[in-house]
Amino acid sequence: MSGSDQHLHDLTRPPSAAAYLAEAWRRREFAVLVPAQDLRAQNMSTVLGQFWHIVNPALLVGVYFLIFGVVIDTSRGVENFLGFLIIGVVLFHLTQRVVQDAAVCISRNLGLIRSVQFPRILLPAAAVNGQTAAFLPALLLALISVLATGERPTLRWLVLPAVLAAQFMFNLGAALVVARIGALIADLQQLLPHFFRLVFYASGVIFSVEAFVSSPGWRRAFALNPVYDVLSCARWCLLGEPVDVWTVAGLLVWSIVLPVIGFRVFLRSEQRLGA
C-alpha cells in the first residue's frame, strides 16, 4: 500500500461508538435548540397558546377521575386517589408522547438527513428533549395538585428527581429503538396509539395493582413493565404508596439496559436511515 493510500478513509464504514458519540456531543445544540423552537411554535395560533401544555393533562385527569374515580370507582386501596391518578396520567403521557414523536422523527426530517451530514441520533434525542420540556409545566401542576390534595413534602420527595432521570433514560432508549423501527415501517405511527392503550391498563395508571391483583406472581410480573415501575416509584416518593424491590430493580435495569440496546440498534443502521 502506498503512503498516500494509508491516509484514505472508507466513508461507507460506520464510525466507532466513541467517535460517533463524540460527534453527537459536539453538535448537541441541535437536540436542544430545535425542540425549543418547535415548543415555542406549538399552539401559537390558539387562544390559550402554551397553556395547553398544562390544560391538556388537567383535562385528562378530570375525565379519568370522573369515569374511574366516581362512576366506576377504581379507587379501592388508594387513600389519595386524585393524587394517585394525577401522577399516573402525567408520567404515562410523557413516555407516550416521547415514543410517538420518535416514531416519526426520521421520516419528518428526510430533507434534512439527505442534505446535511450529521449524527442522526440527534433526531430522537431532540424528540426526547422536546417532549420532556413540554412536560415540565404539567409536572409543576402535578406537584401543586398533590399538595392541594393534602400531601406534604417528606424526605421521599428528594428521590423524585432520580425517578424522573431514570424515566428520561428509559424514554431515550425507547426513542432510539422506535426511531429505527419507524424509519422502516411507516405504519408504526398508526399502531402505537393502540399499543399504548394496552400499556395504559397494564401499568396501573387508574387503579392500584396491589388492591386488584392478589397473586404475588402476577404482581411481580407487573415489574417487567417499565411504565409501571416509573409510576410506582413516583407514587412512593410523593404519596408514600408501597413499592417492592422488584419494581425498583426493574426501573434501574430498564433505565440502564434499554439506552445501551437502543444506541447499538440505532448506530448499526445509522448510515442507511433516510437513504
Side-chain angles (χ1 to χ4, degrees):
M1 181 181 292
S2 65
S4 59
D5 291 337
Q6 295 177 356
H7 298 286
L8 296 178
H9 299 280
D10 184 1
L11 295 179
T12 63
R13 183 179 180 181
S16 67
Y20 185 79
L21 285 175
E23 179 64 14
W25 177 254
R26 191 175 69 84
R27 303 192 183 202
R28 62 189 181 278
E29 291 84 1
F30 176 92
V32 176
L33 297 179
V34 169
Q37 293 290 345
D38 291 343
L39 188 61
R40 281 195 289 267
Q42 289 177 9
N43 303 316
M44 290 303 295
S45 60
T46 63
V47 175
L48 295 180
Q50 298 302 317
F51 282 104
W52 276 111
H53 292 301
I54 296 178
V55 174
N56 273 327
L59 290 175
L60 283 173
V61 169
V63 170
Y64 289 137
F65 182 77
L66 177 62
I67 296 175
F68 297 103
V70 177
V71 178
I72 301 179
D73 190 16
T74 62
S75 61
R76 188 175 73 197
V78 180
E79 183 176 347
N80 183 356
F81 183 69
L82 181 55
F84 182 93
L85 188 62
I86 289 170
I87 296 169
V89 169
V90 170
L91 295 184
F92 172 83
H93 281 280
L94 168 61
T95 293
Q96 180 181 18
R97 289 175 64 88
V98 165
V99 172
Q100 289 182 325
D101 196 19
V104 296
C105 70
I106 300 299
S107 59
R108 189 175 55 205
N109 292 281
L110 284 178
L112 180 64
I113 291 173
R114 292 168 179 171
S115 60
V116 180
Q117 183 65 32
F118 67 99
R120 271 64 160 167
I121 197 174
L122 293 175
L123 295 175
V128 178
N129 289 338
Q131 294 301 331
T132 301
F135 154 79
L136 293 178
L139 174 62
L140 179 60
L141 174 65
L143 293 176
I144 294 173
S145 300
V146 167
L147 289 172
T149 63
E151 300 292 336
R152 293 296 175 261
T154 66
L155 290 177
R156 290 182 177 184
W157 284 48
L158 298 177
V159 184
L160 182 63
V163 175
L164 296 178
Q167 184 182 17
F168 179 89
M169 294 306 298
F170 165 75
N171 288 348
L172 177 60
L176 293 173
V177 173
V178 170
R180 176 68 185 97
I181 298 174
L184 293 175
I185 306 174
D187 292 333
L188 180 64
Q189 183 184 8
Q190 307 301 325
L191 295 174
L192 281 175
H194 304 288
F195 169 75
F196 272 105
R197 287 190 186 97
L198 293 175
V199 177
F200 181 86
Y201 293 106
S203 302
V205 176
I206 56 175
F207 65 93
S208 169
V209 172
E210 287 71 19
F212 283 86
V213 180
S214 58
S215 169
W218 279 111
R219 288 185 186 180
R220 189 172 299 175
F222 271 85
L224 299 175
N225 178 353
V227 179
Y228 170 78
D229 297 338
V230 170
L231 302 189
S232 297
C233 291
R235 286 162 172 163
W236 176 85
C237 294
L238 299 179
L239 304 178
E241 290 290 316
V243 64
D244 59 35
V245 66
W246 294 101
T247 301
V248 177
L251 179 58
L252 289 174
V253 170
W254 278 110
S255 65
I256 295 172
V257 173
L258 190 60
V260 174
I261 294 175
F263 175 70
R264 299 305 303 179
V265 168
F266 194 89
L267 180 62
R268 186 177 301 173
S269 59
E270 200 265 1
Q271 294 185 323
R272 299 193 300 272
L273 295 177

